């Protein structure tokens, strides 16, 4: 039985479908940005890349959690 994906990653299939880029590419953009604050990154994804708030927030939160675990 497959494990249900929860949290920010649960948005990933719809993000890829709606915006046409793989999640790895979004994470590269976030990591390459000169911005570092969560909401600055969310607002940047919304204004520069047209993402909705929930999708942008999920990407930033998941990327930050991955980076914190390194």
């Amino acid at each position: 039985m497959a494990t249900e994906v929860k949290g920010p990653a649960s948005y990933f299939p719809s993000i890829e479908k709606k915006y046409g880029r793989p999640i790895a590419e979004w994470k590269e953009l976030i990591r390459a940005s000169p911005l570092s604050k969560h909401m600055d990154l969310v607002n940047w994804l919304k204004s520069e890349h047209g993402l909705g708030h929930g999708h942008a927030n999920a990407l930033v939160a998941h990327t930050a959690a991955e980076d914190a675990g390194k």
Side-chain angles (χ1 to χ4, degrees):
M1 179 178 246
T3 304
E4 182 182 345
V5 177
K6 296 181 182 181
S10 68
Y11 286 92
F12 289 177
S14 61
I15 291 170
E16 289 181 333
K17 182 177 179 180
K18 184 169 185 170
Y19 305 106
R21 289 184 175 187
I23 296 305
E25 190 173 322
W26 289 114
K27 290 181 178 185
E28 287 175 21
L29 285 171
I30 291 166
R31 289 180 175 122
S33 170
L35 304 171
S36 60
K37 291 185 178 179
H38 182 95
M39 285 310 298
D40 290 345
L41 286 161
V42 169
N43 289 328
W44 173 71
L45 287 171
K46 290 166 60 177
S47 65
E48 295 297 318
H49 298 283
L51 272 72
H53 182 82
H55 287 160
N57 190 57
L59 284 167
V60 173
H62 196 272
T63 304
E66 271 188 352
D67 291 353
K70 287 184 179 177

